[in-house]
Amino acid sequence: MKEFALSLAIMLGSVSGFAVSASPALAQDMSNGAANFYKSDRVDVKSVTFQNQYNMKVAGHLFTPKGMQPNAKLAAIVVGHPMGAVKEQSADLYATKMAEQGFVTLSIDLSFWGESEGKPGHLVAPDIYSDDFSAAVDFLSTQSFVDQERIGALGICGSGSFVISAAKIDPRMKAIATVSMYDMGAAFRNGLKQAVTLEQRKDFIQKATAQRLVEFAGGETVYIPGTVNELTESTDPIQREFFDFYRTSRGAYTPKGQQAELTTKPTLSSAVKFMNFYPFNDIETISPRPMLFITGDKAHSREFSEDAYKRAGEPKELYIVPNAGHVDLYDRVNLIPFGKLTDFFRGNLSS
């Protein structure tokens, strides 16, 4: 179980058993233009809500270019946040930057996270997450200033796999891009670099189902590791990478009414659902809609983008960002290839 726990810890940026005192005062790495909380005077933003097919409220931020003409019919992009994060972490930045380029953009909180509905919070529900993207397309399609034939989708980290899952059965998503993508199913089944054995997987399933019974009987909710709340000398470098974003002022964000030390942490009893999540199966059926996979050359998650690219149908592109790790592409604007994203969506969401 130790190797499996470590693989999950690296995947989610944590190891269980650390102290729970958050450390936002530690110095953060703001190199390469880290700007998670970037605001633009060229963009208007407002909070919106809409229903998914599960009759759950999905919360989002709607971004529009300033000075948009009353009769405008613009291309639009749905943006999904990293797994365990919320729209204020990475998704809003991407949405703002793409709105500056003339797109209508909508960043969303996945169900059970942030301001979106879902009890208990932090529940893992990949089918519902995927439907949230389709619900966002529903919402955008009803806006008078959006051309419903020109809607694309962008998923960051875990949302990359959720948007692929959605796009396979929602042809209204005309162009699909992912950044620092995680295949959340493969990550939980196999760990990074296939490090998890079948016995370790079965042991995790047993623990998760046992915890489900505890919670059914009214017991306390248990969370799997998310981002560590405190660093030690033995903290893994990948865990440190996540800590620098989620546990410092660089990217730390706690939704109203929630606990800072529990941010990024899914519930143990529900996390087992990722074992049944296979987003790359039939990915080739998205073709001929174009797909763009962006990953850093140093990203520990690079294997997932490479796998998706290999399986996807044409047209497709794998874009490797030099000198970039996984979390670097969450917010380091000097590394994030916004020009590439702009060209991709502009070229494939043309009128």
Side-chain angles (χ1 to χ4, degrees):
M1 187 64 184
K2 179 180 178 182
E3 292 81 1
F4 183 73
L6 180 58
S7 182
L8 284 181
I10 292 174
M11 186 270 293
L12 290 169
S14 176
V15 165
S16 58
F18 282 106
V20 296
S21 57
S23 306
L26 292 180
Q28 68 277 6
D29 179 3
M30 300 298 291
S31 63
N32 285 301
N36 179 68
F37 298 107
Y38 173 76
K39 306 295 182 186
S40 175
D41 58 7
R42 297 160 53 192
V43 169
D44 291 321
V45 57
K46 67 176 182 178
S47 295
V48 298
T49 60
F50 48 91
Q51 300 289 114
N52 63 19
Q53 276 200 326
Y54 298 86
N55 289 322
M56 298 168 64
K57 181 184 74 176
V58 179
H61 287 155
L62 181 66
F63 298 82
T64 54
K66 275 191 183 298
M68 183 175 60
Q69 296 300 312
N71 60 347
K73 284 285 187 180
L74 302 181
I77 306 167
V78 182
V79 185
H81 57 74
M83 178 60 203
V86 292
K87 62 186 179 300
E88 288 82 4
Q89 294 167 309
S90 193
D92 274 359
L93 168 62
Y94 275 77
T96 302
K97 287 290 188 177
M98 298 309 291
E100 287 183 334
Q101 300 305 314
F103 298 95
V104 173
T105 58
L106 175 63
S107 64
I108 60 173
D109 279 334
L110 297 176
S111 295
F112 304 99
W113 297 88
E115 296 177 298
S116 288
E117 286 186 342
K119 298 291 185 182
H122 298 202
L123 186 81
V124 169
D127 284 352
I128 300 179
Y129 297 165
S130 297
D131 190 74
D132 292 336
F133 280 92
S134 288
V137 175
D138 293 335
F139 173 81
L140 288 170
S141 297
T142 64
Q143 304 307 301
S144 62
F145 45 83
V146 169
D147 183 344
Q148 65 180 16
E149 297 300 319
R150 294 194 292 149
I151 298 176
L154 167 62
I156 304 160
C157 185
S159 277
S161 60
F162 308 142
V163 77
I164 288 172
S165 178
K168 287 189 297 183
I169 57 174
D170 193 338
R172 299 173 301 168
M173 299 178 192
K174 303 299 185 182
I176 299 93
T178 69
V179 178
S180 288
M181 179 174 56
Y182 258 104
D183 174 347
M184 297 304 300
F188 270 75
R189 285 187 299 274
N190 308 316
L192 296 174
K193 299 181 179 179
Q194 308 289 311
V196 174
T197 68
L198 179 57
E199 288 306 311
Q200 290 168 336
R201 184 195 304 181
K202 288 181 176 179
D203 189 37
F204 177 79
I205 291 171
Q206 182 62 41
K207 287 178 168 57
T209 51
Q211 177 59 28
R212 178 182 178 129
L213 185 58
V214 169
E215 292 171 10
F216 181 81
E220 185 177 352
T221 301
V222 172
Y223 300 86
I224 67 170
T227 303
V228 295
N229 295 306
E230 191 170 274
L231 298 178
T232 72
E233 292 182 359
S234 62
T235 303
D236 184 277
I238 297 175
Q239 298 157 11
R240 291 176 180 273
E241 182 183 357
F242 282 100
F243 181 96
D244 190 74
F245 181 79
Y246 287 114
R247 297 292 184 251
T248 73
S249 58
R250 174 183 159 198
Y253 184 87
T254 304
K256 184 178 180 180
Q258 300 189 25
Q259 302 176 58
E261 62 268 21
L262 291 181
T263 57
T264 78
K265 302 177 189 293
T267 62
L268 169 61
S269 61
S270 69
V272 72
K273 291 181 174 63
F274 276 139
M275 300 290 186
N276 274 345
F277 183 50
Y278 292 84
F280 296 172
N281 285 5
D282 298 323
I283 189 175
E284 71 278 3
T285 64
I286 294 174
S287 174
R289 288 173 287 152
M291 301 192 73
L292 171 64
F293 307 99
I294 296 175
T295 186
D297 64 345
K298 299 177 181 178
H300 64 270
S301 58
R302 179 172 171 172
E303 62 184 280
F304 302 119
S305 293
E306 292 175 335
D307 184 28
Y309 172 76
K310 180 180 178 180
R311 299 191 194 195
E314 296 287 352
K316 61 183 179 181
E317 182 177 357
L318 176 65
Y319 187 84
I320 308 294
V321 181
N323 302 311
H326 177 87
V327 180
D328 287 333
L329 298 184
Y330 285 10
D331 68 330
R332 300 195 190 284
V333 297
N334 294 346
L335 294 176
I336 297 170
F338 285 114
K340 183 68 178 179
L341 285 166
T342 298
D343 291 344
F344 172 75
F345 283 115
R346 190 170 286 162
N348 292 296
L349 298 178
S350 58
S351 56

